[in-house]
Amino acid sequence: MNKHIKKFISIADFLGDVLGSNTEIILHDLTNYEESIVHIINGHISDRKIGDPVTDLVLEFIASESKGNKQFISNYNSKTIEGRLLYSSTYFIRDDNNEIVGALCLNSDYHEVKKSLSFLTSLLPNYVDDKILSINNIKENLNTDPQELTLSKIDAIINEFDVVPNRMTTDEKTNVITALNDCGVFNIRGSVQEVAKKLQMSEPSIYRYIKKIKS
């Protein structure tokens, strides 16, 4: 485990005691994306365990912000593999060179609280919740399968372009592969093969596009 990550184990344990059983606390060691979880408290919330992979949001942040100075993102929505909405925050752990090497993530499940609130608000017919959540607000998917994580991200980006792969122009394919690269998808093993299938291209062609983008 990276030495910078070890320092946060006691902090994670402290937060676990303070926040209770409704908040999952996870430490990611980002030197290994596919087995990044090295410490977890209340893993029952997302059904993840030590050795499970990094999430799509952390991957995207590493690709887009790793050279910057942003230290954390807070109060966004995430979704478990079963579709349960969580309230999440992530603190990024940096090394002496300001590179992101880990992440401390908090995911709170207020499902039971919301059920109680729903009962109470049913007694107040004029009450309107000013913080209604929508599936469109989800920023992070908490998945234990790196392949599913990759496929989900690939599908989401391809769908943004609203063109079926077999009708994409060279420029459109370049834009899709650039977006996938910017989100860190190609840091996951097997992603080139999956992208090739989705875009109906050969794997060597994908590698050529990536090389061109990075040059």
Side-chain angles (χ1 to χ4, degrees), residues 126-179:
N126 294 323
Y127 174 82
V128 177
D129 188 350
D130 61 356
K131 204 171 184 180
I132 297 174
L133 295 177
S134 154
I135 197 71
N136 294 325
N137 292 326
I138 293 171
K139 289 188 176 182
E140 183 176 32
N141 290 290
L142 310 180
N143 203 319
T144 60
D145 186 339
Q147 185 177 28
E148 287 298 321
L149 168 68
T150 304
L151 291 174
S152 175
K153 198 65 179 178
I154 293 169
D155 286 339
I157 288 175
I158 290 176
N159 290 338
E160 287 179 7
F161 288 84
D162 199 30
V163 181
V164 293
N166 62 2
R167 298 185 65 181
M168 282 184 177
T169 64
T170 299
D171 286 344
E172 286 168 336
K173 289 180 179 179
T174 299
N175 290 336
V176 170
I177 294 171
T178 299

Side-chain angles (χ1 to χ4, degrees), residues 95-145:
D95 64 14
D96 297 333
N97 297 316
N98 202 39
E99 299 288 339
I100 296 175
V101 295
L104 174 63
C105 302
L106 279 65
N107 304 300
S108 298
D109 182 359
Y110 297 136
H111 181 70
E112 295 301 322
V113 175
K114 288 176 69 176
K115 284 201 301 186
S116 299
L117 182 61
S118 294
F119 170 72
L120 292 174
T121 55
S122 70
L123 305 177
L124 304 169
N126 294 323
Y127 174 82
V128 177
D129 188 350
D130 61 356
K131 204 171 184 180
I132 297 174
L133 295 177
S134 154
I135 197 71
N136 294 325
N137 292 326
I138 293 171
K139 289 188 176 182
E140 183 176 32
N141 290 290
L142 310 180
N143 203 319
T144 60
D145 186 339

Side-chain angles (χ1 to χ4, degrees), residues 51-115:
D52 278 343
V54 69
T55 65
D56 50 356
L57 179 66
V58 176
L59 263 181
E60 185 169 342
F61 189 92
I62 292 170
S64 62
E65 303 290 343
S66 60
K67 301 300 181 182
N69 294 309
K70 192 168 186 179
Q71 194 63 68
F72 60 85
I73 49 176
S74 56
N75 302 319
Y76 58 87
N77 302 326
S78 58
K79 183 182 70 172
T80 68
I81 194 170
E82 295 85 9
R84 178 169 290 191
L85 291 172
L86 304 178
Y87 301 80
S88 302
S89 297
T90 295
Y91 182 91
F92 294 97
I93 303 169
R94 295 178 180 269
D95 64 14
D96 297 333
N97 297 316
N98 202 39
E99 299 288 339
I100 296 175
V101 295
L104 174 63
C105 302
L106 279 65
N107 304 300
S108 298
D109 182 359
Y110 297 136
H111 181 70
E112 295 301 322
V113 175
K114 288 176 69 176
K115 284 201 301 186

Side-chain angles (χ1 to χ4, degrees), residues 186-203:
F186 295 117
N187 290 319
I188 297 294
R189 184 173 54 195
S191 58
V192 170
Q193 181 181 9
E194 296 299 340
V195 172
K197 289 178 183 177
K198 293 286 184 178
L199 295 181
Q200 300 178 25
M201 299 168 61
S202 68
E203 291 180 41

Side-chain angles (χ1 to χ4, degrees), residues 20-38:
S21 61
N22 288 332
T23 297
E24 176 186 71
I25 300 162
I26 289 180
L27 266 178
H28 288 282
D29 185 337
L30 299 177
T31 61
N32 183 354
Y33 293 156
E34 294 182 25
E35 298 179 355
S36 68
I37 296 179
V38 294

